Amino acid sequence: MALLAFKSKIVHDPEGVMDSWNNSVHFCNWQGVKCGKRHRRVTILDLHASRLAGFISSYIGNLSFLRVLSLANNTFQGEIPPQVGNLFRLQVLALYNNSLTGEIPTNLSHCSNLLHFIIARNKLVGKLPTELSSLSKLIHLKVSINNFSGEIPSFIGNLTSLEFISASFNAFTGTIPEALGQLQNLTFLSLGVNKLSGKIPSSMYNLSSLIVLNLIENQLSGNIPSELGSMFPHLQHLGLGANHFTGPLPVSLPNFSNIALLALDVNHFSGKISIDFKLLPRLYHLTLSVNNLGTGEPDEMDFLQSLVNCTNLQILSVAFNQLKGSLPKSIGNLSATISVLGLSQNHIYGEIPSEISHLVGLTWLTLGDNEFKGRIPYNIGNLQNLQALHLSSNLLEGDVPNTIGNLSSLIHFYLNDNILQGNVPVTLGNCQRLLLLDLSSNNLTGAIPRELFGISAFSISLNLSGNHLSGHLPLEVGNLKNLAELDVSQNDLSGEFPTTLGRCNSLVALYLQGNFFKGSVPSSLQSLRGLWNLDLSRNNLSGQIPKYLEKFILNNLNLSFNDFEGEVPIEGVFSNATAISVTGNPKLCGGVPELHLPTCTMKQSKKHRTSLKIILLISIASVAIVVVVVSKLFCCSKKKNKDLNFDSLSINAFYRISYDSLLQATEGFSLTHLIGTGSSGSVYKAILGETTVAVKVLNHQRQGVSRSFRAECEALGRIRHKNLIKILTSCSSVDFQGNDFKAIVYEFMPRGSLERWLHPDPKMENHQDNHVVGLNLLQRINVAIDVASALEYLHRHCHTPIIHCDLKPSNILLDADMVAHVGDFGLAKLILEMNQNQSSTTVGVRGTIGYAAPEYGLGSEVSRDGDVYSFGILLLEMMTGKRPTESMFQAGLNLHTFARMAIPDHVMAIVDSKLVCNDEEEVAASTNNEGRRATTHPRNNSNENDCLIHMIKIGVACSMESPQDRLNISNVVRELNIIRDIFQGLRKGNNA
């Protein structure tokens, strides 16, 4: 009966593990079940890696003879049942790599025979309970990769049988307990990636049996004892990186004769590297980077010679130190297996030894920011596995060797800031995997090879600036359709801009200044709407300034020192005198007053006599037009006044607020004002005037951020609906560090994002509302209606229909009355634009993994159906409490199929536990779309379960794989309203 109760909680069994669990077979022969030979009682339940999904039944506690319970590598969720504490014979409890939540049950202390307690890779929270101190036989304690907090309890030091402790990737605080030094049998101790502080307790140096000691990424400090290497004779793995350790490296490190991994990077170690590494033959990973190592002594680099004996070495990095000296030729004798060699940001001088070409296994070679001189070794082309080559900021001279073209695996190549001469090698065209190439600030000459523009992989940057390159910019530049930055400034290029430049529609930055380009700016450049920085200064350009630049969301536009003529536009970027420069163009006039340009004078054409009849006809027509326009504006004004309810801050969406104002309103964008972060930027709470607002500061380093900024401004600037976030103003400027700065100011949503309500984070400390415990069913229905209504408006009722493209919980915000508002239109597409420029809609997946429609991954255009799919996944997430990206969804299983398989008989097994816990007092009252409060009452379970089933059905119908099979959004709104009416009717009946 206990096993069948366990089976009843399994909601997904793709491998049919549970098929044998039936009355036709004795339960001792069920898959995963083993019984004692004498008493035929269950002693082992081992279902690890069976791809099961579900909950652990409390009836597990009835298997009183159980010695092994292994459910690892599945997708069990919910809490660990406290009834597990009844299993007093239990020796192995393995629950790792699931989705378990809640705290460790205190009555697990009754499992006094427990030897292996393994609960790593879950979502458990709270402190390690003191009751676990009774587990005196415990050998393995693995609690890593959870959300445990508080101090590491001292009682662990009393569990003297412990051999293995893994508690990394949590949020433990305080110091490492001195009591851990009592664990003389301990061989493995991992406390990395926590918030531990203070010094390593001296008692820990008595743990002579340690094989692994991992304390990386904490806040530990102090010196490391010089005799450290003598304290742990068996140590194979020492990780102390990313802490605050100081002083010299322990001279006894060579005593670690068994060491394989030595990670001491990102600390404050200083002095000479005087370690004889030849005594460490097993060493394969050595990282000493980002310290203060180096004294300038003549034999500074001799430690490299001692590494020759480390024949297993794969990773060596001493970058970002103060090392001084030349690179010995013996560098070529390092292990043939070495993959990463990092020596950048030191003071290494002399020539790069040609022997470095012997290291044919290298994938990453960084020698930048040193004092290397001479030529680049010709045989560097032998390193055909190289993916990253950094030689920048040295004194390298001579030609760039043609053999560079042999590096066909190269992805990042930095040669900038040297004194290289000659042509850009044509053979670079063979490096077809290049994402970034920087040859800037050298003395390169000749034409830019056309082959360079045949590298379609270019997506980050192509920088050829600061050389003496000549000739035309090749027409083939138009092939770089994925490139974000093109910089050919400060050269001797001439001719007109190629019209094909307009095909580079992923460009965010285009730098063409300081050349001899002539002619007018071609109209084809108006397709580069994602540009953030455009510099055409110090050329011989002529003609008028293109008016289409007004529509660009530019942060910086430099047109100075050319021969432009005519009137300077005043809209868009031209309205901000600090963002543009037009000096050195004597024929320009007009513009904003801050430019101090002469007023444009209209040329008087010859006056012609006009008959009274023509004047009268024109006058009548003009009056008629004025009447129509005024009437239209009056109607629109009445409609806006009825629907919008702008507050005191509501201003033109394209009015630019200053960076300084936002800086002051957020107290320097301090963490106390931070209310959310994401891939596109961070959101801060601010007060402008008397109005509380949300300020989204876009991440200027993120590719495509300018297009996202423009899309959001355009979309929200032209639409208004009560379930759409309202944009109040925008800012495009330069911050105090000279970085590009873009921000959008929205109305403030005090209840935060739907993500926060569906998946509360117990570690969140800065939110105003610390009582987010979940949404009841009526609230979730209301939110679903709000979101569906917003989509219906965008798809069906906008003058120009809009596709949102990124619908997900973090983009849905709740106001004070719990009314949902759809926001973040950074990926939005106007259907008008789609029709005009089909190619812009076939750039791959648009949106977020898990929520993006499957057809987007096949290159299909974005569509209304894609938004409906995202809404369906969102609705299923709201009903089940599961993200579409959870680890259980793999090998053909996704949230859609998970829900579809449960309809209709098993829906209650998959819905969010907060919706089926009858004795739980429900959270605060919800509000419907009209803002009315709706109180909650005891449930009529049967009928309310029907409502849940119908909600799941709608989510499944919206997220069908084929777009043609998905529901129409208008039908979705209608169905959801019917469900809400039924649900509220049930509540009223219960209340009566």
Side-chain angles (χ1 to χ4, degrees), residues 312-520:
N312 295 313
L313 194 64
Q314 297 179 25
I315 296 174
L316 170 61
S317 179
V318 293
F320 293 88
N321 279 287
Q322 306 295 325
L323 299 175
K324 190 173 184 179
S326 61
L327 204 57
K329 294 184 177 181
S330 59
I331 193 79
N333 297 328
L334 289 177
S335 166
T337 63
I338 194 166
S339 173
V340 174
L341 178 58
L343 300 170
S344 59
Q345 199 80 21
N346 281 285
H347 302 288
I348 306 174
Y349 51 78
E351 295 189 352
I352 299 174
S354 61
E355 288 78 3
I356 206 167
S357 64
H358 299 167
L359 307 179
V360 293
L362 278 177
T363 61
W364 194 284
L365 175 60
T366 64
L367 304 177
D369 289 277
N370 280 289
E371 299 166 20
F372 287 111
K373 64 179 182 180
R375 304 176 73 91
I376 299 171
Y378 187 80
N379 55 6
I380 201 168
N382 295 346
L383 304 179
Q384 296 186 24
N385 292 308
L386 270 184
Q387 297 177 21
L389 177 58
H390 293 238
L391 301 176
S392 58
S393 299
N394 281 288
L395 301 171
L396 298 172
E397 57 189 10
D399 295 342
V400 179
N402 288 328
T403 54
I404 290 289
N406 296 339
L407 307 181
S408 57
S409 297
L410 209 56
I411 295 174
H412 290 179
F413 186 19
Y414 292 89
L415 264 181
N416 52 291
D417 293 283
N418 283 285
I419 48 177
L420 296 164
Q421 302 168 346
N423 296 340
V424 177
V426 172
T427 56
L428 270 173
N430 299 333
C431 303
Q432 284 293 310
R433 296 182 62 189
L434 272 176
L435 304 180
L436 180 151
L437 173 63
D438 193 344
L439 302 178
S440 64
S441 300
N442 282 284
N443 293 320
L444 300 173
T445 56
I448 301 175
R450 300 176 186 276
E451 291 78 2
L452 210 55
F453 301 111
I455 303 175
S456 58
F458 270 136
S459 60
I460 300 176
S461 176
L462 172 58
N463 192 339
L464 305 174
S465 66
N467 285 285
H468 301 289
L469 301 171
S470 57
H472 292 195
L473 186 60
L475 287 171
E476 288 80 0
V477 69
N479 296 334
L480 306 182
K481 296 179 180 180
N482 299 312
L483 189 65
E485 179 188 66
L486 175 62
D487 191 346
V488 295
S489 63
Q490 310 297 333
N491 278 289
D492 300 323
L493 300 173
S494 58
E496 297 187 354
F497 291 152
T499 56
T500 55
L501 194 57
R503 298 177 190 169
C504 305
N505 48 27
S506 294
L507 280 176
V508 174
L510 177 59
Y511 302 107
L512 303 174
Q513 71 271 22
N515 283 285
F516 299 100
F517 290 118
K518 64 180 181 178
S520 60

Side-chain angles (χ1 to χ4, degrees), residues 187-394:
T187 61
F188 187 105
L189 177 60
S190 179
L191 304 177
V193 196
N194 280 287
K195 300 177 182 178
L196 301 172
S197 57
K199 297 182 179 181
I200 299 176
S202 57
S203 63
M204 276 186 54
Y205 298 122
N206 297 326
L207 303 178
S208 58
S209 297
L210 276 180
I211 295 174
V212 171
L213 176 58
N214 178 16
L215 303 175
I216 64 168
E217 287 194 46
N218 280 286
Q219 299 159 20
L220 300 169
S221 58
N223 287 13
I224 302 299
S226 59
E227 62 274 20
L228 182 70
S230 304
M231 295 172 173
F232 305 116
H234 306 291
L235 203 65
Q236 298 177 18
H237 177 132
L238 177 61
L240 302 178
N243 279 286
H244 305 304
F245 292 118
T246 54
L249 297 175
V251 294
S252 61
L253 287 181
N255 292 338
F256 286 139
S257 58
N258 295 309
I259 203 77
L261 184 148
L262 190 56
L264 305 177
D265 51 309
V266 196
N267 279 287
H268 305 290
F269 291 118
S270 57
K272 186 178 180 181
I273 304 178
S274 54
I275 300 169
D276 190 356
F277 290 104
K278 68 174 177 288
L279 301 176
L280 308 178
R282 299 183 179 181
L283 189 66
Y284 78 87
H285 179 122
L286 175 61
T287 49
L288 303 173
S289 53
V290 196
N291 279 288
N292 297 314
L293 297 169
T295 60
E297 296 180 34
D299 58 348
E300 183 99 294
M301 306 299 293
D302 285 0
F303 74 92
L304 290 172
Q305 173 64 40
S306 70
L307 282 164
V308 170
N309 281 10
C310 301
T311 55
N312 295 313
L313 194 64
Q314 297 179 25
I315 296 174
L316 170 61
S317 179
V318 293
F320 293 88
N321 279 287
Q322 306 295 325
L323 299 175
K324 190 173 184 179
S326 61
L327 204 57
K329 294 184 177 181
S330 59
I331 193 79
N333 297 328
L334 289 177
S335 166
T337 63
I338 194 166
S339 173
V340 174
L341 178 58
L343 300 170
S344 59
Q345 199 80 21
N346 281 285
H347 302 288
I348 306 174
Y349 51 78
E351 295 189 352
I352 299 174
S354 61
E355 288 78 3
I356 206 167
S357 64
H358 299 167
L359 307 179
V360 293
L362 278 177
T363 61
W364 194 284
L365 175 60
T366 64
L367 304 177
D369 289 277
N370 280 289
E371 299 166 20
F372 287 111
K373 64 179 182 180
R375 304 176 73 91
I376 299 171
Y378 187 80
N379 55 6
I380 201 168
N382 295 346
L383 304 179
Q384 296 186 24
N385 292 308
L386 270 184
Q387 297 177 21
L389 177 58
H390 293 238
L391 301 176
S392 58
S393 299
N394 281 288

Side-chain angles (χ1 to χ4, degrees), residues 698-890:
L698 278 74
N699 179 3
H700 71 278
Q701 295 179 338
R702 179 175 177 262
Q703 183 178 350
V705 71
S706 198
R707 292 191 298 277
S708 174
F709 178 75
R710 177 175 60 84
E712 196 147 6
C713 286
E714 286 188 356
L716 291 176
R718 68 175 70 192
I719 57 176
R720 292 292 185 267
H721 187 271
K722 61 177 179 283
N723 295 123
L724 295 174
I725 280 289
K726 182 167 60 182
I727 184 173
L728 303 176
T729 182
S730 62
C731 176
S732 183
S733 182
V734 178
D735 68 16
F736 70 97
Q737 294 178 328
N739 295 320
D740 295 326
F741 178 86
K742 283 186 171 13
I744 303 175
V745 181
Y746 305 93
E747 58 184 335
F748 179 67
M749 295 285 118
R751 297 285 187 173
S753 72
L754 178 61
E755 169 82 15
R756 177 188 170 207
W757 287 83
L758 294 179
H759 311 288
D761 186 348
K763 297 188 293 184
M764 295 182 73
E765 302 171 350
N766 295 328
H767 281 299
Q768 287 182 325
D769 183 358
N770 292 319
H771 305 288
V772 175
V773 294
L775 299 170
N776 61 35
L777 180 54
L778 182 56
Q779 288 173 315
R780 297 185 198 213
I781 295 173
N782 280 330
V783 169
I785 292 173
D786 291 342
V787 176
S789 299
L791 283 184
E792 184 184 30
Y793 172 80
L794 293 172
H795 292 179
R796 305 292 176 188
H797 303 302
C798 280
H799 176 68
T800 302
I802 294 175
I803 311 300
H804 186 277
C805 297
D806 198 19
L807 200 64
K808 57 185 177 180
S810 59
N811 288 343
I812 296 165
L813 303 175
L814 304 174
D815 65 17
D817 293 323
M818 296 298 288
V819 175
H821 301 253
V822 177
D824 200 337
F825 282 70
L827 295 181
K829 295 295 292 182
L830 308 182
I831 289 183
L832 178 63
E833 288 182 353
M834 292 163 55
N835 293 336
Q836 292 175 342
N837 186 13
Q838 294 287 346
S839 63
S840 69
T841 66
T842 56
V843 293
V845 177
R846 296 186 65 89
T848 302
I849 292 175
Y851 301 92
E855 63 267 20
Y856 291 176
L858 302 176
S860 296
E861 299 170 9
V862 298
S863 66
R864 296 180 177 99
D865 294 325
D867 275 359
V868 171
Y869 177 92
S870 300
F871 174 80
I873 296 298
L874 171 72
L875 185 56
L876 293 177
E877 182 174 359
M878 290 170 62
M879 293 298 107
T880 65
K882 297 185 186 304
R883 294 183 175 93
T885 54
E886 292 194 13
S887 57
M888 68 178 289
F889 298 130
Q890 54 184 329

